[in-house]
Amino acid sequence: MKRSDRLIGMTQYILENPMQLISLPYFSERFNAAKSSISEDLTIMNQMFQQEGIGYLESISGAAGGVRYIPQFNEESSEAFVEQLCRRLEDPERILPGGYLFMSDILGEPNTVRTIGRLFASNFASLGIEAVVTVATKGIPIAYAVASFLNVPVVIVRRDPKITEGSTVSINYVSGSSRKIQSMVLTKRSLEQGTTVCIIDDFMKAGGTIDGMKSLLREFDVNVAAIGVLAEAEDEEEDRVVDQYTSLVQISNFDVRNKRIEVKKGNYFK
Amino acid sequence: MKRSDRLIGMTQYILENPMQLISLPYFSERFNAAKSSISEDLTIMNQMFQQEGIGYLESISGAAGGVRYIPQFNEESSEAFVEQLCRRLEDPERILPGGYLFMSDILGEPNTVRTIGRLFASNFASLGIEAVVTVATKGIPIAYAVASFLNVPVVIVRRDPKITEGSTVSINYVSGSSRKIQSMVLTKRSLEQGTTVCIIDDFMKAGGTIDGMKSLLREFDVNVAAIGVLAEAEDEEEDRVVDQYTSLVQISNFDVRNKRIEVKKGNYFK
């Protein structure tokens, strides 16, 4: 196989399998080329990935070695993406009663969701995360996007137990902003003890839901290494029950009456 | 830029933007190369994509022309993937009361979900689909996977109206298998009249939920061009209220007492 063909095939394979260690012999056999040629291909690819701002290839030497694609998103592209997101979210038409913002259209765009996932994955790539946990339903697409770049499974906490799930563990928690008691459940067989996870959600006000998830996850003895939320309501900062988290955008000065709102970059960029 | 660098960059860009028409001048400018070189690159890429069984490049000539990546999955890989899925689903440990099957672990794997999405997208690519519609919550990841390959937005029908959504349209429907009356809602601003959509869900028994979605979508005057379900319960065929659909796997001889189940390839392969 010619180098040009091989580069196309290898690029495709590597992009589809982020964070996964791929041995040189695997490529060597799959594309019928000497290991030295494969090595050269990977060097070119690594340079090009960095130039394009989509990450880099990590080389692991030794018998069990190989190469691993670490997805990243360069700062310039990340900031440009989030700035644009802020401008879209500031549209007064998005303001809904109760201090909420209509985001379903944006969260319905696979490309946007994928980029959001790439940003969190870039940030969490070194934390050894083994699963992404989210709560139904709006956080689900973002959680899958993060998980696809981290190459780990998604675990979904539900607000109502489903008959199709088998036995579950459930907790009650107090919603931070509405002060209502709510419950959430997680299927017993969905998480093993000792797993390292990150929590992903779309929106955080006072943080009651995320705090509830943390309590629930404690029952499973898992380690929460990171929390990522797409948007946080800055006005709720005083009452916040969660302190360690990463947000992409911050929403403030929510003025339902005058249909005004301010959206700026979140603490991701700090 | 050298051809090898360009091929890596172009492969990445094209894979990230399926179904999207990309003009030659765009590549020409982005990778600083003559249009003739770009044309040659695309020819190599098209051959390699087909050889790897991941789709092909469609060329559109003329002033507004360019190239479009049509994701496909060759028959051999598709069958191998679904066969493996069948074997995994046949595990008696998955049997749950009520004729349900535990699938959350499989639906939690981003790579598996992505491949399921690729299969449906391959099948629906020529239907001019403009949005993927699913119902919360288990169908959501599959819907996003399909949508990412078709490069269209996802619209989520909910079982309970959320305050964060604005005004909604709702219908009541009879669940085909349990004969219970249920309701589903869709935000008014989420779909425009005349849109062509496909419906995606994880599991279909008698088809009441999907039939309900069809009724709801009629209120929006949208055209349902295709229905895709990951798994269908074959034992329910007689009572089925939906007849045109594509399934990846068929579940039959569901025997809860003796913990036996049979899973075979769905009508996707017929």
Side-chain angles (χ1 to χ4, degrees), chain A residues 4-5 7 16 30 44 52 93 96 100 104 107-108 110 114 137-138 144 152-154 158 164-165 189, chain B residues 4-5 7 16 30 44 52 93 96 100 104 107-108 110 114 137-138 144 152-154 158 164-165 189:
Chain A
S4 49
D5 291 345
L7 282 171
E16 284 282 330
R30 177 161 175 158
I44 301 171
E52 293 284 292
E93 293 296 313
L96 294 168
Y100 285 99
S104 296
L107 289 179
R114 216 171 135 73
T137 55
K138 300 225 183 143
Y144 272 84
V152 298
V154 175
R158 290 175 197 280
T164 60
E165 286 288 306
R189 55 170 129 178
Chain B
S4 50
D5 292 345
L7 283 171
E16 285 281 330
R30 177 160 174 161
I44 301 170
E52 294 284 290
E93 293 295 313
L96 294 168
Y100 286 99
S104 296
L107 289 180
R114 218 172 131 73
T137 56
K138 300 223 183 142
Y144 272 84
V152 299
V154 176
R158 294 180 192 276
T164 59
E165 284 289 308
R189 55 171 128 175

Side-chain angles (χ1 to χ4, degrees), chain A residues 10-152:
Chain A
M10 284 172 68
T11 301
Q12 189 263 337
Y13 188 88
I14 283 178
L15 291 173
E16 284 282 330
N17 294 283
M19 300 297 283
Q20 195 175 299
L21 187 65
I22 308 159
S23 73
L24 263 53
Y26 174 82
F27 280 134
S28 204
E29 200 173 306
R30 177 161 175 158
F31 297 106
N32 194 19
K35 261 164 72 170
S36 57
S37 310
I38 298 289
S39 269
E40 282 168 36
D41 297 343
L42 292 169
T43 305
I44 301 171
M45 213 176 284
N46 186 24
Q47 281 164 1
M48 192 59 191
F49 279 15
Q50 290 184 45
Q51 194 181 313
E52 293 284 292
I54 58 162
Y56 62 94
L57 299 182
E58 184 184 69
S59 292
I60 287 120
S61 52
V67 72
R68 195 200 314 265
Y69 165 46
I70 314 290
Q72 294 279 351
F73 207 33
N74 67 22
E75 218 175 295
E76 201 187 311
S77 312
S78 307
E79 289 216 33
F81 170 80
V82 172
E83 282 289 0
Q84 201 209 0
L85 197 60
C86 291
R87 295 300 78 73
R88 290 183 69 188
L89 288 171
E90 270 180 343
D91 178 354
E93 293 296 313
R94 298 189 171 277
I95 296 174
L96 294 168
Y100 285 99
L101 209 57
F102 181 78
M103 303 202 294
S104 296
D105 57 335
I106 290 176
L107 289 179
E109 299 167 358
N111 268 344
T112 305
V113 169
R114 216 171 135 73
T115 305
I116 293 167
R118 186 188 278 274
L119 286 170
F120 283 121
S122 301
N123 223 4
F124 301 163
S126 61
L127 303 177
I129 284 164
E130 296 162 300
V132 175
V133 181
T134 189
V135 66
T137 55
K138 300 225 183 143
I140 296 176
I142 307 178
Y144 272 84
V146 176
S148 78
F149 284 110
L150 292 178
N151 192 29
V152 298

Side-chain angles (χ1 to χ4, degrees), chain B residues 57 65 71 95 128 136 138 155 168 178-180 187 199 202-203 225-226 258:
Chain B
L57 299 182
I95 296 174
K138 300 223 183 142
V155 173
T168 56
S178 69
R179 299 276 162 213
K180 268 191 294 192
T187 310
I199 293 176
D202 65 322
F203 201 79
N258 297 306

Side-chain angles (χ1 to χ4, degrees), chain B residues 30-198:
Chain B
R30 177 160 174 161
F31 297 107
N32 194 18
K35 261 164 68 173
S36 57
S37 310
I38 299 288
S39 267
E40 281 168 37
D41 297 344
L42 292 170
T43 304
I44 301 170
M45 213 175 284
N46 185 25
Q47 280 163 2
M48 191 61 191
F49 279 15
Q50 289 185 45
Q51 194 182 314
E52 294 284 290
I54 59 162
Y56 62 94
L57 299 182
E58 184 184 69
S59 292
I60 286 120
S61 51
V67 72
R68 193 199 315 262
Y69 165 46
I70 314 290
Q72 295 280 351
F73 206 34
N74 67 22
E75 218 174 296
E76 201 187 311
S77 312
S78 307
E79 288 215 38
F81 170 80
V82 171
E83 281 290 357
Q84 200 208 1
L85 198 61
C86 290
R87 296 299 79 74
R88 290 182 70 188
L89 288 171
E90 270 179 343
D91 179 356
E93 293 295 313
R94 297 188 171 277
I95 296 174
L96 294 168
Y100 286 99
L101 208 59
F102 182 79
M103 304 201 294
S104 296
D105 57 336
I106 290 177
L107 289 180
E109 298 167 359
N111 267 344
T112 305
V113 169
R114 218 172 131 73
T115 306
I116 294 168
R118 186 189 278 276
L119 286 171
F120 284 121
S122 300
N123 223 1
F124 301 163
S126 61
L127 302 178
I129 284 163
E130 296 162 300
V132 176
V133 181
T134 191
V135 65
T137 56
K138 300 223 183 142
I140 296 176
I142 306 178
Y144 272 84
V146 176
S148 77
F149 284 111
L150 293 179
N151 192 29
V152 299
V154 176
V155 173
I156 300 172
V157 173
R158 294 180 192 276
R159 303 204 185 258
D160 55 323
K162 287 263 278 187
I163 193 171
T164 59
E165 284 289 308
S167 59
T168 56
V169 175
S170 87
I171 59 141
N172 294 318
Y173 71 101
V174 179
S175 157
S177 40
S178 69
R179 299 276 162 213
K180 268 191 294 192
I181 292 181
Q182 302 195 288
S183 64
M184 48 173 78
V185 297
L186 187 52
T187 310
K188 261 193 183 159
R189 55 171 128 175
S190 60
L191 266 177
E192 270 175 51
Q193 218 178 335
T195 311
T196 296
V197 307
C198 69

Side-chain angles (χ1 to χ4, degrees), chain A residues 173-245:
Chain A
Y173 71 100
V174 179
S175 156
S177 40
S178 69
R179 299 276 165 215
K180 266 191 294 192
I181 293 180
Q182 303 195 287
S183 64
M184 48 173 80
V185 297
L186 187 52
T187 310
K188 261 193 183 158
R189 55 170 129 178
S190 60
L191 267 177
E192 269 174 52
Q193 219 177 335
T195 310
T196 296
V197 307
C198 70
I199 293 176
I200 293 290
D201 209 358
D202 63 321
F203 200 80
M204 180 170 76
K205 294 181 81 178
T209 304
I210 285 177
D211 198 47
M213 287 173 80
K214 284 172 70 180
S215 307
L216 183 58
L217 292 171
R218 262 196 296 277
E219 298 292 320
F220 283 79
D221 259 329
V222 310
N223 163 34
V224 178
I227 295 169
V229 293
L230 169 58
E232 61 165 316
E234 210 197 4
D235 303 347
E236 309 272 344
E237 237 169 18
E238 276 176 36
D239 300 319
R240 189 149 290 153
V241 291
V242 172
D243 50 2
Q244 296 277 347
Y245 62 88

